[in-house]
Amino acid sequence: MVPTTQVRRQSISSPAPLARGFPWLSVFLLTIVHLSLAWSLDIAGWAEGLHVVTYAVLAGVTVGSLLALTPWPRGFVRLYTLITGMALSLYLGATLLPETIQGLQRPVHVLQRLFDWVVAALTGEPTGDNLVFVVDVTFLVWWLSVATTIGLVRERKVWAAVVPSGIALSINAYYAAQDLTGFVLLYLGATLLLLVSSHLDEQVVTWEMNHVRYPLDVVFIFMRNGLLFSLLILVLAWYAPQVTGRHRVERWLEPVRESWHRVQEEWARVFSTLNYTPSGVIPSFGNTMTLRGAPNLTDVPYFTVQAKKGRYWRAAVYDRYRGTGWQNTVSRPRDLAPDEGVRLPLVQAGKILTQTVTVQLPGAINLIAAPMPLSFSIPVEAEIVSYKGQLGGGEEILFAYAKQVLEPGAQYTVVSYVVDPDATALRNASTSYPDWIRERYLQLPVELPDRVRQLARDLTAAYDNPYDKAKAIERYLRSIEYSEEIPPPPPDQDAVDWFLFDLQKGYCDYYASAMAVMLRAVGVPTRIASGYARGEYDEKTHTWTVRESDAHSWPEVYFPDYGWIPFEPTPSEPPLERREAPPPGAGEDEIPRPEDEQPDRSRNIPEDEENIAPEGGGVPFAPIRIPLPPILARVAQSIPWRPLASVTMLIVLVVAARRSARRRLLGRADLPATLYARLVRWGRRLGVGPSPALTPWEHRERLVRVLPEEQRVITEIVQTYQVSVYAPTPLRARATQHRERLIALWEHLWPRLVWAWIRQRLHRVPGLNAPQSS
């Protein structure tokens, strides 16, 4: 036999759902917890339109509260949450579309873009549709709000209700460019109060079960003290010495750094147009570079580089152009130990350059170096391309990632082999390109407009060698206005085509991309490099200070025997001129003197720091150009989605509610008594409620007067009840054997009871049943 104290402890720790009433205060505080996440997502500015997530939170908490009060099974609740969440996300996403899209075209348009995004994501293509991101976030926040509310109301799962939002808010605050401290404090305050409220709820149950008296204003006292305690904790946390910074998060993730880096790479691929650079840390260059809108750069120092010469500090290289940006597809990862070098390609006119890089800001993952880096003094994870029989079969490091996050003051030494041939050598270079160079570095999308190709042919028609062709295109691009205040490219237009013919202004990413695309159009292998321009030079210490505003992109042209040679089409940068031939007896001077090339502090933009919002407002969504099959589009446009969805949802709810009620009745051991109790309640509603002096049979007679046509059904239910209660034991058991019939009788009867109740209410409406005059 179980001791009494044990039974009492079990009942206290696991009270029946809603045994303590609906937790209004806890649900309100949970709403604040979720709203802090929704508001922080909107302020972070990942994409235009995230304000709709607030509506998803409010709807999710409301629906979750209602679902918690139903007896529906978990499977159906999850299905219902899935269907309604998809419908809500689709509707809220459709509200963000331009007014030119009307009626049923709005949800169909959202579905089209979801379909395109899924196809691109599954095929490994970089995607850049911000509307899809908004719809996805809306659905996830909806699901989170519904699930946590149900868990809180039904089972009082407080930690499970607040921890997911806390994790999401922490990640959002870390990667956002804005300061979200206020929303973190709001979340912490609401969470602490929710814990206090939940603890109070548990205490009240314990007191009542142990017959302990407590003051009626205990809720006010507890919440007042809990609020004061929460404020004290927040104030102490605010003014306490900073033990850890944002960059320490990377250190905590060190055991799973490689996996986390792959997650970041995949995230950058499927949502390539988001502004996800963390504030206060150095951004990371990924395997994709998207051509976007206006940047928002500062003069914050990122690195200092101690080197005798310098022009470019490279961090990333891209080979595949996809109409909206670039992607790296040629390299393979390899771990390199400290000072472990790659095989040096056999290229001419090169010289070793050693650089010492000092990190000035936390969060450094990408390592920068002068092209072409050979080795690093720290362990790195490198992306390496091999030159298959060309250039002596050597290798080149395209990306280099530190094995651990570098904090301010961290240093590493990198050795590069800088190639700087003169113009005469490049003009006379061979044009015998290997097949793998042609296949990878002459690639252009089929959709590239012909006017881009024609412009490239016109600019280079007078020249017979790749170097002069490159200089001709470079001169033309440097005549285009430089501007960072530009909107993002239209979603249905090639970015280079838009830059050259429509916008006719831009920043370094657009100049470099245009030069690479036009050179490829005339048969010259070209790729894109990203990193930083020289920075500010100190002649005394031979140190370059590289700032955020020094971020830069430039094209590199392939010349057999010399490798990849940089060009400078961006007019905000000093021109990169090469001498025709070295003067007799002069020493090598691989890189132009820094004092002649002081940079402009207001130029350039890193790929990870761009702002996707256009200057004039609007929704800068960029759909993927994978068309929905025409037959599916026609069918989708011809279906009345809104009425169909409403009717379908109603049918699903009715069927599910009926099956749930039937299942609950079948599981009751006292089924006859349950059905009779329901008859009694309906009799009370119909004005023929039972009296202590009446037997069940006499109560039957009263109900029959109201519903004479259902006399047989009412009689059978009452008879079964009397047998199950008053008859000998064998007859009682027999009365509960025909459970299916009893349930069928009740399912037939209760709609008639509802209709009888409605008729009574209608008869009571003044004037509704007045006799009409002839």
Side-chain angles (χ1 to χ4, degrees):
M1 182 174 180
V2 181
T4 304
T5 55
Q6 183 176 350
V7 174
R8 178 177 296 174
R9 186 178 300 111
Q10 291 174 353
S11 62
I12 293 175
S13 61
S14 302
L18 298 179
R20 292 156 280 178
F22 189 82
W24 295 103
L25 181 58
S26 297
V27 171
F28 171 76
L29 293 172
L30 180 62
T31 304
I32 300 300
V33 167
H34 291 326
L35 284 177
S36 64
L37 171 61
W39 293 337
S40 70
L41 289 169
D42 185 22
I43 297 300
W46 306 116
E48 193 76 14
L50 279 173
H51 62 276
V52 300
V53 179
T54 299
Y55 304 125
V57 168
L58 297 176
V61 172
T62 302
V63 172
S65 300
L66 296 175
L67 290 175
L69 300 176
T70 66
W72 295 342
R74 290 186 179 181
F76 172 76
V77 169
R78 290 170 182 167
L79 177 62
Y80 177 84
T81 304
L82 175 66
I83 296 175
T84 53
M86 294 174 62
L88 178 67
S89 303
L90 184 63
Y91 169 77
L92 292 177
T95 62
L96 302 175
L97 295 176
E99 295 182 357
T100 54
I101 304 176
Q102 298 290 334
L104 291 177
Q105 293 181 355
R106 300 177 73 87
V108 171
H109 187 78
V110 178
L111 287 172
Q112 164 77 65
R113 290 164 70 160
L114 285 169
F115 175 82
D116 292 345
W117 180 83
V118 170
V119 171
L122 293 178
T123 55
E125 292 290 331
T127 63
D129 195 336
N130 289 342
L131 178 60
V132 174
F133 175 77
V134 173
V135 172
D136 290 346
V137 171
T138 301
F139 176 79
L140 292 176
V141 172
W142 152 270
W143 185 278
L144 177 65
S145 301
V146 173
T148 55
T149 304
I150 293 175
L152 179 67
V153 174
R154 281 187 175 179
E155 304 175 37
R156 301 303 196 266
K157 294 182 177 179
V158 181
W159 287 108
V162 299
V163 168
S165 291
I167 295 175
L169 179 58
S170 300
I171 296 175
N172 183 41
Y174 174 75
Y175 282 100
Q178 289 77 16
D179 184 9
L180 302 179
T181 304
F183 298 103
V184 175
L185 294 177
L186 177 63
Y187 165 82
L188 292 175
T191 298
L192 290 173
L193 290 177
L194 180 57
L195 293 173
V196 171
S197 174
S198 175
H199 178 69
L200 172 63
D201 206 6
E202 296 288 344
Q203 289 297 112
V204 169
V205 173
T206 304
W207 294 335
E208 290 181 351
M209 296 189 68
N210 290 278
H211 306 287
V212 176
R213 293 186 179 183
Y214 58 89
L216 298 178
D217 59 348
V218 66
V219 175
F220 171 76
I221 296 173
F222 256 72
M223 296 310 298
R224 180 196 63 191
N225 295 337
L227 178 60
L228 295 176
F229 176 75
S230 301
L231 292 176
L232 177 62
I233 293 296
L234 294 178
V235 169
L236 291 177
W238 181 268
Y239 287 102
Q242 186 174 2
V243 179
T244 59
R246 286 185 176 183
H247 59 286
R248 300 298 176 92
V249 175
E250 297 283 357
R251 174 180 292 182
W252 298 338
L253 294 175
E254 194 63 38
V256 293
R257 190 193 69 83
E258 294 185 7
S259 299
W260 180 245
H261 180 67
R262 286 193 292 270
V263 170
Q264 290 178 307
E265 289 286 340
E266 190 65 14
W267 177 269
R269 181 182 69 82
V270 298
F271 294 115
S272 59
T273 59
L274 299 182
N275 180 23
Y276 52 85
T277 302
S279 61
V281 296
I282 298 176
S284 175
F285 291 83
N287 275 324
T288 60
M289 184 189 80
T290 302
L291 296 172
R292 311 178 187 177
N296 182 20
L297 303 179
T298 68
D299 284 339
V300 176
Y302 277 179
F303 305 94
T304 60
V305 184
Q306 189 173 18
K308 292 183 179 181
K309 300 178 183 295
R311 175 71 194 223
Y312 299 113
W313 313 113
R314 200 176 72 186
V317 178
Y318 306 101
D319 60 277
R320 185 170 183 264
Y321 179 65
R322 50 186 176 84
T324 58
W326 294 82
Q327 185 178 11
N328 167 47
T329 64
V330 299
S331 61
R332 295 293 179 268
R334 184 195 305 172
D335 290 340
L336 297 179
D339 299 319
E340 178 185 355
V342 297
R343 291 176 294 160
L344 176 65
L346 298 181
V347 294
Q348 303 176 19
K351 184 178 181 181
I352 294 293
L353 178 66
T354 301
Q355 313 122 73
T356 300
V357 181
T358 303
V359 178
Q360 300 296 318
L361 207 63
I365 293 291
N366 275 104
L367 304 183
I368 63 170
M372 132 195 358
L374 300 178
S375 65
F376 294 84
S377 63
I378 60 175
V380 301
E381 177 187 338
E383 292 282 341
I384 298 175
V385 61
S386 299
Y387 286 102
K388 298 183 180 179
Q390 188 73 5
L391 302 177
E395 300 172 314
E396 184 181 5
I397 299 175
L398 303 185
F399 295 75
Y401 301 101
K403 283 289 188 178
Q404 62 181 7
V405 178
L406 303 181
E407 300 180 7
Q411 287 187 341
Y412 63 89
T413 300
V414 56
V415 177
S416 298
Y417 191 71
V418 179
V419 180
D420 187 30
D422 58 62
T424 303
L426 294 178
R427 188 175 288 111
N428 296 326
S430 170
T431 57
S432 179
Y433 305 119
D435 292 339
W436 68 272
I437 287 285
R438 293 180 177 275
E439 292 172 0
R440 294 176 175 176
Y441 299 103
L442 293 179
Q443 169 272 335
L444 287 173
V446 178
E447 301 84 4
L448 182 71
D450 289 336
R451 61 181 180 175
V452 177
R453 301 176 188 270
Q454 187 60 47
L455 176 61
R457 289 192 289 265
D458 293 342
L459 292 173
T460 60
Y463 304 99
D464 62 355
N465 64 85
Y467 176 75
D468 285 332
K469 292 180 180 181
K471 295 300 290 184
I473 294 176
E474 182 186 61
R475 286 192 298 271
Y476 174 80
L477 291 174
R478 292 184 69 88
S479 68
I480 297 177
E481 177 187 356
Y482 179 88
S483 175
E484 296 178 357
E485 301 300 323
I486 64 172
D492 56 349
Q493 187 174 358
D494 182 273
V496 167
D497 176 76
W498 174 72
F499 163 70
L500 290 173
F501 297 99
D502 297 331
L503 188 65
Q504 295 187 334
K505 61 181 179 180
Y507 50 83
C508 59
D509 290 357
Y510 288 91
Y511 290 96
S513 299
M515 183 168 180
V517 168
M518 286 196 288
L519 282 174
R520 288 186 176 192
V522 294
V524 179
T526 314
R527 68 186 187 184
I528 290 294
S530 286
Y532 300 90
R534 298 157 305 147
E536 184 178 350
Y537 185 63
D538 186 338
E539 294 184 10
K540 295 181 180 180
T541 61
H542 297 290
T543 300
W544 308 79
T545 299
V546 181
R547 305 175 186 273
E548 178 186 22
S549 54
D550 291 318
H552 190 50
S553 295
W554 61 93
E556 293 182 342
V557 181
Y558 183 78
F559 292 88
D561 299 328
Y562 297 100
W564 295 98
I565 305 301
F567 286 77
E568 188 50 78
T570 304
S572 64
E573 283 290 316
L576 207 168
E577 300 292 347
R578 293 179 173 85
R579 57 184 180 270
E580 289 299 325
E588 293 186 356
D589 186 16
E590 285 72 20
I591 306 175
R593 296 293 299 172
E595 55 268 25
D596 298 329
E597 304 172 1
Q598 292 303 319
D600 179 4
R601 296 249 60 83
S602 63
R603 72 194 187 311
N604 304 334
I605 175 172
E607 184 261 340
D608 283 338
E609 285 290 322
E610 296 169 0
N611 186 351
I612 62 173
E615 179 181 3
V619 183
F621 295 133
I624 308 157
R625 295 190 297 271
I626 300 179
L628 191 70
I631 186 172
L632 294 181
R634 289 195 297 270
V635 171
Q637 292 178 354
S638 63
I639 296 176
W641 289 103
R642 189 174 300 175
L644 181 61
S646 301
V647 172
T648 303
M649 187 63 62
L650 180 62
I651 293 174
V652 170
L653 288 175
V654 170
V655 172
R658 182 174 178 179
R659 294 186 62 180
S660 177
R662 187 182 186 89
R663 190 181 299 110
R664 289 200 323 274
L665 285 175
L666 281 172
R668 297 190 68 95
D670 56 343
L671 179 61
T674 300
L675 297 182
Y676 178 74
R678 293 186 179 184
L679 272 180
V680 170
R681 286 197 298 271
W682 275 106
R684 188 177 296 111
R685 296 187 185 111
L686 294 172
V688 291
S691 170
L694 296 179
T695 64
W697 193 257
E698 291 171 330
H699 180 56
R700 178 203 69 88
E701 293 178 352
R702 288 190 173 190
L703 283 172
V704 169
R705 293 194 202 106
V706 179
L707 289 173
E709 67 275 11
E710 301 299 333
Q711 177 178 354
R712 181 186 61 82
V713 176
I714 296 173
T715 300
E716 186 170 347
I717 292 176
V718 173
Q719 283 181 337
T720 304
Y721 166 69
Q722 291 185 128
V723 171
S724 68
V725 174
Y726 302 110
T729 301
L731 293 179
R732 294 185 202 174
R734 190 182 307 169
T736 59
Q737 290 177 354
H738 305 290
R739 308 174 68 85
E740 292 285 351
R741 173 165 177 77
L742 284 176
I743 292 175
L745 291 173
W746 176 251
E747 290 177 344
H748 167 81
L749 179 61
W750 78 264
R752 277 74 178 175
L753 294 169
V754 174
W755 179 238
W757 179 81
I758 294 175
R759 287 202 309 267
Q760 285 187 356
R761 293 300 180 273
L762 293 177
H763 281 297
R764 295 177 184 177
V765 178
L768 185 61
N769 297 286
Q772 299 180 2
S773 58
S774 58

